[in-house]
Amino acid sequence: MLDRARYGGAARRALGSYVTLGGTLWLEYDVTGRDRAGHLLADVWTGARGGVLVNAAVVAAGYADARPMAPDLRHAAVVRAARDAARAAGCGLWTGGTFARCVGDRVCRRC
């Protein structure tokens, strides 16, 4: 079972490296705006249009899994490719035990 306390903290820190206080973010909606439970469904981008797709960046670092759901599939291929690369490199969730390796690897741009 996934240790939410350990992995949640690591994922939160990684997300903080993309989303800075006072920084610019924008949301890109696809087909639906919310799921059945009322959760917001949007892609998150940093900076000006054409910036970093945070959804894919966090998945590529191994801090989240890709779970695109129809009909909201605009960036599904990009996010799935990020997941496959993280899995192949053994980053984050794919290490089988800790995020520690990927934190260092991300700095070195290996993940």
Side-chain angles (χ1 to χ4, degrees):
M1 173 166 276
L2 186 64
D3 180 348
R4 288 179 187 247
R6 177 195 295 173
Y7 293 109
R12 192 170 25 263
R13 287 186 295 279
L15 185 58
S17 72
Y18 297 104
V19 181
T20 59
L21 185 62
T24 300
L25 295 175
W26 59 277
L27 301 179
E28 178 183 28
Y29 297 97
D30 203 337
V31 177
T32 59
R34 296 194 179 267
D35 66 11
R36 286 182 279 184
H39 300 115
L40 183 67
L41 299 176
D43 292 305
V44 180
W45 294 84
T46 63
R49 298 214 184 264
V52 173
L53 177 57
V54 176
N55 308 50
V58 172
V59 169
Y63 294 109
D65 192 5
R67 302 231 181 232
M69 295 172 44
D72 299 297
L73 302 173
R74 179 176 293 143
H75 300 292
V78 171
V79 176
R80 284 186 182 122
R83 181 212 41 220
D84 295 345
R87 183 182 292 160
C91 294
L93 293 168
W94 312 112
T95 64
T98 182
F99 277 115
R101 177 181 165 268
C102 199
V103 171
D105 285 351
R106 190 169 151 269
V107 171
C108 296
R109 305 212 187 286
R110 288 191 299 246
C111 291

